[in-house]
Amino acid sequence: MPRPTTAASKGKDESVRVVVRCRPMSEKEQESGCERVVNIDGQRRQISIRKPTSEISQRSTGDDGHTFFFDAVYDWNSKQTDVYEQTARPLVDSVIEGFNGTIFAYGQTGTGKTFTMEGVRSQVELRGIIPSSFAHIFDAIAHTTSRQFLVRASYLEIYNESIRDLLSKDQNKRLQLQEHPKEGVHVHDLSSFITKNMQEIEHVMNTGNLNRSTGATNMNEHSSRSHAIFMITVESSETGADGQAHIRVGKLNLVDLAGSERQAKTGSTGDRFKEATNINLSLSVLGNVISALVDGNSHVPYRDSKLTRLLQNSLGGNSKTIMIATLGPADYNYDESLTTLRYANRAKNIKNQPRINEDPKDALLRKFQEEIARLKEHLEGKGKGRRKSRRRGNQDEGENNENEEGDPNDEELYLKEQQDKLNEEKRSILHKRNINETEREQMLQELEQQKQAIEREQEARREMQHKIQQMESKLITGGKDIVTHTSEQEETLRQKRRLIAEAERRHREVQQRLAEGEEERQTINQKYTNIKEEVEDKRAKRDKLSKHLKKIEAKRTEIVEHQQSAREELEAEQREIQKQTKLLQLIIENFIPKDERERLYKRIQFDDQHNQWTLKELSKETDQMVHRPVSARHTRRPFTTNSHVESIPEIAHFRSENIMLLQLDHPMRTTRDYEGPVVAPAIQAAIENAMKGEENIELDANNIPVEKRKKKKKKIPDNRNDDDDDMYSKYASSNTSVSRLGFNDVYSGRSLNGARR
Ligand SMILES: Nc1ncnc2c1ncn2[C@@H]1O[C@H](COP(=O)(O)OP(=O)(O)OP(=O)(O)O)[C@@H](O)[C@H]1O
């Protein structure tokens, strides 16, 4: 069924208020040592429920505790007045103002729905919401002087999905629901009693309660198996600035639902089973309606049960609504209590659109006012006609009566006078002697008829006046009976109670805010501590890392420096090699004949195994070293082309020879000790000439450190003969750079390598 769109759509959104009340442990529960599993923090409006200890130890699933927040929560110490003053009073005030309002109690059997809604009527402090609302409404009316009120009450029960009028004489009659295009769903033919005071409305309620169905189940002997709805309609009228009466109508539904316990737990069978199924049906439809409303479904299944059809306006419609969820505190009710709390928690999200119901067409108060006016007019109308004829008669008699408005008392007087006149006439007729008996009889008859007509009129007027009185008596106007209703002291007391309730409410709100603030502060503190710890932890890590980094950097610097020095060394070495290579190249080019050179090149090979250059064995035919020819006295026989060149006389002796092919003369140590290198100026000049532009070449072989010199002679080719060794040692000990270097580097793979480049 689509959601109501008439009045509801115009109101301001307002959530259904949901409060929870937990009853005290019953004596039975205390005696059997039940555990309390419910905890309530009224200031925080928080209720927690935890699994019974026995169940936790048996099968803990991790969801052992649940916490919910509601608009108000009441624990086992809460008083009836607390619930009324803090929760119900504002809603009842709104109903008096012309809003629709609903308060319904929902919960497991025996958890205090009836106690909360009705309470114990004989004790004022134990009165529930329904009787307290009676007192409230009539008190409020008594103190409102500007408005006229009409209060009526109805009482019905939904039992096995059929509606029974609890105030009807015929308790077997079942009522039907009817859909009103504008006003929504209403119960056809439902009795409603106008009540003028608290006693009358209490009487209505007592009558209904006597008719209410109750039955015993395993769960609770007196558990109610029906849904009971007590309806109070408060109509009020006020004359506006336009002189017109404006009417407002507020409807209050006070609903005591049947127990919500599950079928299996009640152990019902037969009729009881059918009852329970139907109770469950309307409650489960109620649950579906709540879910559909909360989820914003386009289809809300109001029509699926009588209860939800009747409460349609209260759930998602034009009404202010309060749900009171009741629970028991004991462990064995854990599952049911949790279900109730979840149900209630969902209901918090239902949005209603309450608005004041102004000038509805079917207001009973308006009908009353119109009927009273009509009757008064009727009474006046008759008098008016007579007043006119009397005025005419009086004018004939010379009297002038301008007053058109008649006083009903005048009319009474007039009729009385007429009666007296007729009586007088009757007496004179009876005493008349000049008429015969027939004429006398006829005259008396006429008089009697006139008398009866006057009496009928008097009677009709009395009836009309009584009706007006009756109707007017139903309309209550505040102020008039204030002294009879309440004493001033009561009023002061009531106001103080209201102020206290208001102050308490504000106090609770402040406490709530403080608690929230404290919680927030603690959370922030906790967060701050966590962050501080984290910062400290990170700082320590950072310090450790930076120490590590410093170490790495020191190592890196060391490595770089080491590499740098190694590189410099290598570069120096390279430069040295280049220099030597150049020098050797020079020597080769200048001192080794071309053909010898080529032969030498042919013999050069790289020994992969030893990673060095070596000279191949001399082939006997071609490479065998030529024996030095016998020297001529003072001169040598030139046998190379080169030796013909005699440009430098000092070295002519050598120039005629291929120094590589020559077997060395082992010099006899016949001379003095060697005294340092003396390069012949001509050779020096030749070298300098050749080295032009080669600035970096160091000609003094002594500049090479001894260590390096040692390294350089590390490999001497195997094909070297003893003479070579001798030669080597001779030249190595010599300061003559040319000769030492020549041997050293010719035999070293590295030198040759460099030379090859
Ligand atoms: N807040 C309370 N303080 C003291 N006693 C309570 C309270 N609530 C309930 N009780 C007691 O618990 C018992 C069961 O309460 P009640 O009959 O109201 O339950 P219920 O929910 O209306 O049950 P049912 O579903 O059968 O109508 C009663 O004896 C009642 O007096």
Side-chain angles (χ1 to χ4, degrees):
M1 178 180 190
R3 296 178 66 167
T5 53
T6 52
S9 55
K10 290 175 190 164
K12 204 175 143 198
D13 268 13
E14 186 181 295
S15 295
V16 167
R17 277 173 63 81
V18 181
V19 306
V20 175
R21 189 180 197 189
C22 182
R23 69 158 167 76
M25 284 261 196
S26 69
E27 272 180 29
K28 229 171 156 184
E29 288 167 345
Q30 278 173 350
E31 277 164 20
S32 53
C34 285
E35 185 193 0
R36 182 158 61 76
V37 293
V38 175
N39 257 314
I40 288 179
D41 185 338
Q43 286 187 344
R44 289 188 176 185
R45 297 179 285 180
Q46 170 187 316
I47 182 162
S48 316
I49 186 165
R50 59 171 174 80
K51 253 191 186 151
T53 327
S54 54
E55 281 189 46
I56 293 174
S57 52
Q58 277 172 22
R59 47 178 178 94
S60 178
T61 51
D63 60 344
D64 298 335
H66 301 268
T67 298
F68 301 87
F69 292 88
F70 293 99
D71 293 295
V73 287
Y74 298 99
D75 66 12
W76 31 93
N77 296 318
S78 62
K79 305 219 166 21
Q80 296 284 56
T81 46
D82 295 338
V83 178
Y84 192 81
E85 295 299 328
Q86 293 159 17
T87 296
R89 182 174 279 279
L91 183 132
V92 177
D93 275 332
S94 300
V95 170
I96 297 167
E97 283 300 307
F99 285 96
N100 294 333
T102 297
I103 301 176
F104 69 94
Y106 173 92
Q108 189 190 357
T109 294
T111 51
K113 296 184 295 296
T114 311
F115 182 82
T116 300
M117 295 309 290
E118 286 182 34
V120 183
R121 263 163 284 140
S122 54
Q123 295 179 47
V124 178
E125 69 277 11
L126 292 184
R127 271 192 201 159
I129 288 174
I130 300 177
S132 297
S133 72
F134 298 162
H136 177 182
I137 290 168
F138 287 105
D139 277 352
I141 291 172
H143 290 84
T144 310
T145 49
S146 57
R147 278 151 80 184
Q148 199 171 40
F149 287 89
L150 187 138
V151 180
R152 58 200 160 106
S154 305
Y155 201 1
L156 64 85
E157 176 190 75
I158 305 174
Y159 175 76
N160 264 343
E161 277 303 276
S162 60
I163 301 171
R164 194 147 56 106
D165 184 349
L166 290 174
L167 303 177
S168 165
K169 281 188 184 134
D170 180 7
Q171 280 299 301
N172 292 321
K173 194 177 162 193
R174 295 292 173 263
L175 305 183
Q176 297 305 317
L177 288 174
Q178 276 187 351
E179 202 103 17
H180 193 281
K182 278 197 175 163
E183 305 303 320
V185 179
H186 77 278
V187 187
H188 183 62
D189 259 357
L190 180 68
S191 325
S192 112
F193 285 80
I194 294 171
T195 55
K196 300 193 294 295
N197 51 43
M198 204 167 143
Q199 289 72 32
E200 282 182 12
I201 201 166
E202 270 184 348
H203 178 69
V204 168
M205 188 180 169
N206 292 340
T207 311
N209 277 343
L210 284 176
N211 293 325
R212 222 182 139 187
S213 289
T214 53
T217 67
N218 295 352
M219 279 291 289
N220 186 337
E221 232 189 319
H222 302 288
S223 112
S224 163
R225 307 193 60 81
S226 60
H227 311 289
I229 307 180
F230 195 90
M231 298 167 165
I232 306 172
T233 308
V234 182
E235 298 183 1
S236 66
S237 156
E238 191 170 27
T239 307
D242 55 359
Q244 298 288 313
H246 293 284
I247 290 177
R248 294 179 190 178
V249 181
K251 286 180 187 161
L252 176 62
N253 293 320
L254 301 162
V255 189
D256 183 0
L257 293 175
S260 66
E261 68 280 352
R262 280 172 300 178
Q263 191 55 56
K265 229 177 172 181
T266 62
S268 315
T269 51
D271 278 356
R272 286 279 171 271
F273 181 82
K274 194 182 162 205
E275 261 179 37
T277 313
N278 279 330
I279 291 162
N280 277 359
L281 172 86
S282 27
L283 287 177
S284 70
V285 174
L286 180 63
N288 296 343
V289 166
I290 290 173
S291 295
L293 288 169
V294 172
D295 298 342
N297 293 356
S298 54
H299 172 76
V300 182
Y302 293 113
R303 296 188 75 91
D304 291 359
S305 81
K306 295 263 163 53
L307 178 72
T308 47
R309 278 190 82 187
L310 261 173
L311 293 183
Q312 181 169 335
N313 218 17
S314 312
L315 301 164
N318 168 23
S319 173
K320 288 176 180 259
T321 300
I322 295 172
M323 174 183 183
I324 302 177
T326 58
L327 18 125
D331 46 7
Y332 70 100
N333 285 331
Y334 170 79
D335 288 331
E336 290 295 348
S337 301
L338 184 58
T339 310
T340 302
L341 286 170
R342 284 185 170 144
Y343 204 93
N345 202 41
R346 270 185 90 62
K348 283 193 306 195
N349 301 313
I350 299 175
K351 293 265 185 294
N352 284 347
Q353 300 83 30
R355 60 163 192 112
I356 291 178
N357 303 305
E358 271 174 310
D359 294 319
K361 295 273 173 303
D362 61 347
L364 196 62
L365 182 55
R366 188 175 297 287
K367 284 182 189 155
F368 265 53
Q369 284 174 337
E370 283 169 2
E371 180 65 6
I372 290 166
R374 192 186 63 79
L375 287 172
K376 279 185 174 170
E377 204 176 307
H378 192 73
L379 277 177
E380 252 186 47
K382 284 210 161 176
K384 247 186 201 169
R386 262 193 300 267
R387 267 199 305 282
K388 269 188 187 161
S389 59
R390 252 187 300 166
R391 205 168 50 234
R392 271 200 302 276
N394 289 343
Q395 275 169 355
D396 292 344
E397 286 165 25
E399 282 183 29
N400 188 11
N401 191 348
E402 290 297 323
N403 188 12
E404 274 285 323
E405 287 296 311
D407 181 347
N409 289 333
D410 284 356
E411 284 303 311
E412 290 294 324
L413 266 176
Y414 170 74
L415 289 173
K416 188 91 181 77
E417 278 170 18
Q418 293 302 310
Q419 258 180 336
D420 291 345
K421 267 188 189 170
L422 289 174
N423 286 336
E424 190 59 37
E425 255 182 68
K426 190 180 172 184
R427 258 196 306 274
S428 68
I429 290 168
L430 285 171
H431 290 100
K432 264 189 183 167
R433 292 185 184 165
N434 53 348
I435 53 169
N436 62 33
E437 279 308 306
T438 326
E439 277 177 329
R440 193 190 311 272
E441 197 60 35
Q442 206 179 347
M443 284 170 82
L444 282 173
Q445 259 184 11
E446 274 175 21
L447 274 179
E448 191 56 34
Q449 278 171 1
Q450 282 178 17
K451 213 176 150 189
Q452 279 175 6
I454 287 171
E455 276 172 4
R456 273 201 304 278
E457 195 182 333
Q458 278 178 324
E459 183 58 31
R461 288 185 68 87
R462 267 197 295 277
E463 265 180 35
M464 265 193 264
Q465 274 164 353
H466 179 68
K467 206 172 171 188
I468 291 169
Q469 234 172 18
Q470 280 280 302
M471 290 177 90
E472 280 182 334
S473 75
K474 308 264 184 204
L475 305 180
I476 335 162
T477 308
K480 273 186 197 167
D481 304 324
I482 194 156
V483 182
T484 54
H485 273 295
T486 50
S487 70
E488 273 199 10
Q489 275 173 331
E490 272 179 313
E491 169 58 11
T492 319
L493 193 69
R494 211 175 12 255
Q495 274 181 357
K496 279 196 176 144
R497 225 187 279 149
R498 220 174 286 155
L499 287 175
I500 289 169
E502 180 62 20
E504 276 179 355
R505 192 181 56 76
R506 262 191 250 126
H507 175 73
R508 269 198 311 280
E509 277 177 10
V510 169
Q511 289 283 347
Q512 165 84 11
R513 276 202 291 274
L514 278 177
E516 281 169 4
E518 175 61 18
E519 212 170 283
E520 206 173 316
R521 195 184 66 79
Q522 278 178 4
T523 318
I524 289 169
N525 268 0
Q526 182 64 37
K527 254 190 207 161
Y528 177 72
T529 317
N530 289 349
I531 290 170
K532 223 171 139 186
E533 277 171 9
E534 204 180 319
V535 166
E536 269 161 25
D537 189 40
K538 285 197 170 149
R539 195 172 286 150
K541 268 188 194 157
R542 190 203 59 187
D543 291 349
K544 206 171 150 190
L545 281 175
S546 64
K547 264 185 204 163
H548 192 61
L549 186 72
K550 266 184 197 157
K551 266 187 201 171
I552 290 174
E553 272 184 348
K555 233 179 205 171
R556 191 185 71 96
T557 320
E558 203 180 301
I559 291 168
V560 168
E561 277 171 4
H562 186 261
Q563 277 180 344
Q564 179 70 20
S565 69
R567 195 178 149 185
E568 280 168 9
E569 256 177 42
L570 283 173
E571 279 173 358
E573 217 171 293
Q574 189 192 17
R575 273 197 304 278
E576 193 57 40
I577 290 164
Q578 279 174 345
K579 200 165 71 180
Q580 288 174 23
T581 311
K582 273 270 179 200
L583 190 61
L584 288 171
Q585 199 71 34
L586 270 173
I587 293 167
I588 289 166
E589 276 166 15
N590 288 288
F591 297 97
I592 300 173
K594 199 178 168 195
D595 44 346
E596 276 306 321
R597 224 185 298 159
E598 270 159 13
R599 270 200 309 163
L600 204 56
Y601 284 152
K602 274 181 199 158
R603 282 181 60 208
I604 288 169
Q605 65 178 15
F606 191 76
D607 180 356
D608 287 326
Q609 207 178 346
H610 297 98
N611 194 30
Q612 64 180 6
W613 292 95
T614 52
L615 288 174
K616 280 188 221 159
E617 284 289 323
L618 291 172
S619 77
K620 280 204 172 146
E621 301 81 39
T622 53
D623 301 328
Q624 201 58 267
M625 197 175 274
V626 187
H627 279 280
R628 182 187 273 184
V630 180
S631 310
R633 197 178 159 78
H634 301 300
T635 182
R636 286 166 195 249
R637 184 164 47 91
F639 57 94
T640 64
T641 333
N642 214 33
S643 59
H644 288 290
V645 184
E646 282 187 358
S647 54
I648 309 163
E650 287 85 346
I651 58 164
H653 167 73
F654 301 105
R655 296 191 72 177
S656 63
E657 294 176 359
N658 178 350
I659 61 165
M660 291 303 290
L661 293 175
L662 290 178
Q663 283 178 342
L664 292 173
D665 289 333
H666 290 268
M668 298 297 287
R669 188 171 165 79
T670 55
T671 55
R672 59 189 166 87
D673 280 343
Y674 177 70
E675 282 175 353
V678 180
V679 180
I683 294 176
Q684 186 69 40
I687 292 168
E688 273 169 15
N689 191 35
M691 297 288 285
K692 252 181 204 163
E694 301 290 342
E695 289 160 10
N696 290 329
I697 291 182
E698 178 62 68
L699 289 182
D700 185 358
N702 280 336
N703 285 347
I704 300 167
V706 176
E707 282 298 309
K708 284 184 196 167
R709 269 183 270 156
K710 273 184 190 163
K711 267 189 216 164
K712 283 179 183 176
K713 66 171 186 179
K714 68 183 170 211
K715 193 78 187 169
I716 297 171
D718 291 343
N719 55 357
R720 204 156 38 102
N721 54 34
D722 290 346
D723 289 347
D724 289 345
D725 278 354
D726 286 350
M727 184 176 70
Y728 172 75
S729 49
K730 184 179 79 176
Y731 280 85
S733 66
S734 151
N735 270 351
T736 311
S737 63
V738 174
S739 55
R740 190 177 63 78
L741 281 169
F743 275 94
N744 190 12
D745 293 325
V746 165
Y747 283 108
S748 119
R750 184 133 43 103
S751 293
L752 284 170
N753 197 18
R756 201 164 53 139
R757 268 189 292 125

